[in-house]
Amino acid sequence: MKLEQLDLFADGGRRMQMTESIELTVQSLQAYGSSHPHWAIAWSGGKDSSATLSLIVYLLDVGRIPRPQSLTVFYADTRQELLPLSIAAYQIMDDLAERGIAVEIVMAPLDKRFMVYILGRGVPPPNNNTLRWCTRQIKIDPMQEALSHRLAQLDGNVLMITGVRQGESAIRDRRIEMSCGKDGAECGQGWYQQVLPEAKGLRGRIATLAPLLHWRVCHVWEWLKHWAPQAEFGDWSTVGIADAYGGDEAEEINARTGCTGCSLTDKDMALDNLLAQSQWAYLAPLKQIRPLWRELREPQHRLRKPGLERLKNGTIAKNPQRMGPLTFEARLMALDRILAIQCACNAAALSQGRPVIDLINAEEEARIRELVAAGTWPDGWEGDEPLATILLDVVYQNGAVQPLLFGAEA
Ligand code: SF4
């Protein structure tokens, strides 16, 4: 009897907390929504922004929040999403289409996409120290571009709604972070909140609102797995999102998701969690992507500036003899390896009747080969710089040179 009472209490308590969380969300939208004629939702397909999107559309459907003059949903497709997240996103787009809500798919231009930028242009894979170009290039810049374009078609201000979520303690401390690693957050989400409104052309016309800012992660899962799929809350295809975060264990694992094989995380947690589920185990070859990105950062695959480098503004660069772009051989080697990984996954997918992956499509492969054939180097590089393994006299930033003791090559 005692146990039963406790269970009832736990269940009722969770429901009450959910209702309170949703109520606060409603209040924030009532307070800020009505002063903005147009709303836009930045949706990454991850758990937080998918919860935000499905909840807002449900609240609009049942008349709990004021309807804006226009609602535009921007789906940020990086071409690097984990497969179950990408599948779930396209199912949710069908759910939205049934309601007459169009989704604009936001993608970086061909030459700036992750694979083309690395393998075609030769820019080394991102890392945490000197070269983190990816978040801005494949997520933020395309979103700014799409939003600027939309703003040009509209009169009045736009409320950009994001899935940024910080939980209760952060709200108490009045902290909103740029970090993507907190509490299972998704890569880039803080950037939408803080960087997007400041962009040229958007300043002054766009405000951002994170109506789930106060939600705890357990509420997000409760909504996606148990509430949103019910007809009374909108019949959303949100259950599949949990797969990318660890299936039934998703809530406990509280993983962060990002690009397949993201080279900036310590561990490939999201992919490991996915492969641990039998229905996704056929994607195991994807585990080879992260080591490949690491390998490409090694000197044998890259060029190096031989000495001091004068920048466009006339000043001397801070890091003489820095390592730079990937050689053509390295790019083509990596292209072959990625295509082989894709081929192995898809052969297994076809034999098991499972969904196929699309790491590099025909257009991207053709463009990569075209850029390599055209001898393309990133800005500031000519391609005549020495290979980074060649030993050179050491040049310091003040111009001093320390000659090699033994004039040998590595
Ligand atoms: S998930 Fe990793 S690779 Fe992808 S944009 Fe974020 S930091 Fe870059």
Side-chain angles (χ1 to χ4, degrees), residues 387-403:
L387 195 65
T389 44
I390 294 176
L391 291 183
L392 302 168
D393 294 344
V394 178
V395 178
Y396 295 97
Q397 212 210 337
N398 63 4
V401 176
Q402 179 178 317

Side-chain angles (χ1 to χ4, degrees), residues 114 126 132 134-135 138-139 187-188 256-259 262-264:
F114 196 82
R132 180 171 174 173
C134 48
T135 312
I138 65 176
K139 296 187 171 178
C187 165
R256 157 196 191 274
T257 60
C259 299
C262 169
S263 55
L264 278 82

Side-chain angles (χ1 to χ4, degrees), residues 175-229:
R175 262 186 300 124
I176 299 179
E177 305 203 28
M178 295 287 284
S179 156
C180 311
K182 286 243 160 197
D183 198 19
E186 283 127 32
C187 165
Q189 66 162 357
W191 293 61
Y192 286 135
Q193 192 76 7
Q194 296 197 349
V195 179
L196 204 59
E198 290 305 314
K200 221 168 120 202
L202 301 180
R203 219 169 289 155
R205 284 197 63 197
I206 165 172
T208 57
L209 179 69
L212 268 59
L213 195 68
H214 57 286
W215 281 42
R216 285 158 48 182
V217 69
C218 57
H219 294 155
V220 173
W221 288 120
E222 180 74 8
W223 173 259
L224 293 174
K225 288 189 358 188
H226 304 298
W227 292 45

Side-chain angles (χ1 to χ4, degrees), residues 43-152:
W43 174 40
S44 70
K47 65 180 189 317
D48 297 328
S49 64
S50 297
T52 306
L53 171 65
S54 51
L55 178 64
I56 285 177
V57 175
Y58 157 70
L59 292 171
L60 286 169
D61 283 350
V62 296
R64 288 290 321 274
I65 52 176
R67 200 166 267 283
Q69 280 174 37
S70 77
L71 169 67
T72 312
V73 178
F74 294 101
Y75 171 55
D77 187 347
T78 61
R79 299 270 302 113
Q80 298 294 116
E81 311 301 331
L82 287 171
L83 186 56
L85 278 187
S86 166
I87 292 172
Y90 280 86
Q91 285 170 344
I92 291 172
M93 280 188 239
D94 288 344
D95 297 342
L96 292 165
E98 282 169 17
R99 292 167 165 86
I101 298 174
V103 177
E104 189 172 323
I105 298 177
V106 176
M107 200 182 285
L110 184 59
D111 281 9
K112 297 241 168 141
R113 289 186 206 156
F114 196 82
M115 295 286 184
V116 180
Y117 202 59
I118 295 173
L119 305 179
R121 196 165 185 78
V123 175
N127 73 349
N128 266 322
N129 302 328
T130 53
L131 200 67
R132 180 171 174 173
W133 49 263
C134 48
T135 312
R136 181 175 276 281
Q137 180 164 311
I138 65 176
K139 296 187 171 178
I140 312 305
D141 288 351
M143 193 61 84
Q144 282 176 348
E145 179 73 33
L147 201 51
S148 306
H149 190 251
R150 183 80 182 110
L151 268 172

